[in-house]
Amino acid sequence: MKTLAELAEYVDEAARTATEIPQISDTHPLSVEDAYAVQALSMQRRYARGEKRIGIKMGLTSRAKMIQVGVSDVTWGRLTDAMREEEGGVVSMSRFVHPRVEPEIAFLMKKPLSGKVSALEAMSAVEAVAPALEIIDSRYKAFKFDVGDVIADNSSSSGFVVGTWHSPEIDISNLGMVLSINGRPQEIGSSAAILGNPVRSLVSAARMVASAGEELKPGDIVLAGGATAAIPMEAGQSVLLEVENLGQIGFNIGD
Ligand code: OOG
Ligand code: MG
């Protein structure tokens, strides 16, 4: 049997070296609780290398995403400064195994938030909202995993781009979202696909971080989860997300 610390090293090394690995569940099926312990231990290894936690991402908050990966539990993971990519910049394929991109909404926190909160309390802790693109990159072969695998692997988190911050007064409950590759719309959806309203994802985020003994802090970014299925990334593509009332963001994909 491997210890949780050994499993943390296994997923961390796979992420650090962009190397695909067999699923943990092939040999060590994990409970959700142990999977979050592996995630926390693997993130400690990153922090020890100098990466800074700058927020969290929610995963599998829309039906489109649950269906795409065959896991139907909402999960979360940690974001670090090393994962942030520049809006309008070039994202290199080299640090990923088989990345996919998905359209999201981001929150910027202005007050601490954790535990059981209402949607109103959650929104009153928000400084701003923005369109976001998440780059997910499961470290597991063929992007296949069970719920314990994906949680241990930091919910596939590996990169993200955030657009211009807007006032949280803007109603984000049902905004049209169009994700285009090379100028061609590929995924068309609505922010309402995210748990019916992305604010519910923030409410879940507050509850889930609290169960890990953490909180959302002022300055934290929270990604609400993909509104549509994710699209496989390839070098040479340009990626553009347009979100109604929040503007557009994008990046180009390099080798
Ligand atoms: C798991 C992460 C899901 C989202 O936004 O739903 C996620 C995966 O699809 O690999 O980031
Ligand atoms: Mg996501």
Side-chain angles (χ1 to χ4, degrees), residues 85-90 133 160-164 239-240 248-251:
E85 299 279 357
E86 198 184 325
E87 200 287 308
V90 176
L133 287 163
F160 67 97
V161 173
V162 178
T164 304
V239 179
L240 183 74
Q248 58 180 52
I249 61 169
F251 59 85

Side-chain angles (χ1 to χ4, degrees), residues 13-215:
E13 274 301 288
R16 191 182 67 78
T17 60
T19 309
E20 65 175 17
I21 51 174
Q23 293 173 54
I24 293 176
S25 59
D26 288 350
T27 47
H28 294 71
L30 288 171
S31 67
V32 164
E33 198 187 342
D34 281 352
Y36 277 113
V38 171
Q39 181 190 126
L41 289 165
S42 81
M43 295 308 293
Q44 276 169 23
R45 298 173 61 89
R46 291 198 200 205
Y47 304 149
R49 289 197 295 272
E51 288 183 43
K52 302 266 179 299
R53 175 198 171 288
I54 59 167
I56 73 153
K57 53 94 38 96
M58 297 298 288
L60 308 178
T61 51
S62 69
R63 275 191 59 74
K65 286 288 312 181
M66 290 179 182
I67 290 165
Q68 186 175 33
V69 299
V71 174
S72 48
D73 300 73
V74 173
T75 69
W76 69 285
R78 280 107 170 162
L79 301 175
T80 75
D81 57 346
M83 298 175 189
R84 191 166 190 162
E85 299 279 357
E86 198 184 325
E87 200 287 308
V90 176
V91 173
S92 163
M93 288 288 284
S94 64
R95 69 179 185 87
F96 306 112
V97 181
H98 38 209
R100 298 176 177 177
V101 61
E102 57 192 16
E104 305 218 2
I105 300 285
F107 297 98
L108 179 65
M109 305 308 296
K110 70 174 174 198
K111 291 191 203 143
L113 191 70
S114 78
K116 203 164 172 244
V117 298
S118 67
L120 201 64
E121 285 165 331
M123 278 317 287
S124 66
V126 170
E127 171 81 32
V129 295
L133 287 163
E134 187 183 23
I135 300 167
I136 50 170
D137 189 31
S138 174
R139 268 50 69 155
Y140 302 111
K141 275 188 183 142
F143 229 105
K144 289 240 170 345
F145 43 74
D146 75 3
V147 63
D149 291 321
V150 67
I151 291 167
D153 185 31
N154 199 25
S155 291
S156 308
S157 183
S158 66
F160 67 97
V161 173
V162 178
T164 304
W165 293 109
H166 288 71
S167 162
E169 306 274 291
I170 294 174
D171 181 359
I172 56 163
S173 61
N174 185 10
L175 299 178
M177 300 173 76
V178 180
L179 178 59
S180 299
I181 305 291
N182 296 337
R184 236 183 94 219
Q186 297 275 301
E187 293 288 342
I188 298 168
S190 160
S191 60
I194 304 164
L195 294 174
N197 182 339
V199 174
R200 294 194 185 135
S201 181
L202 183 60
V203 167
S204 299
R207 181 174 39 78
M208 293 177 97
V209 292
S211 64
E214 295 185 19
E215 60 175 16

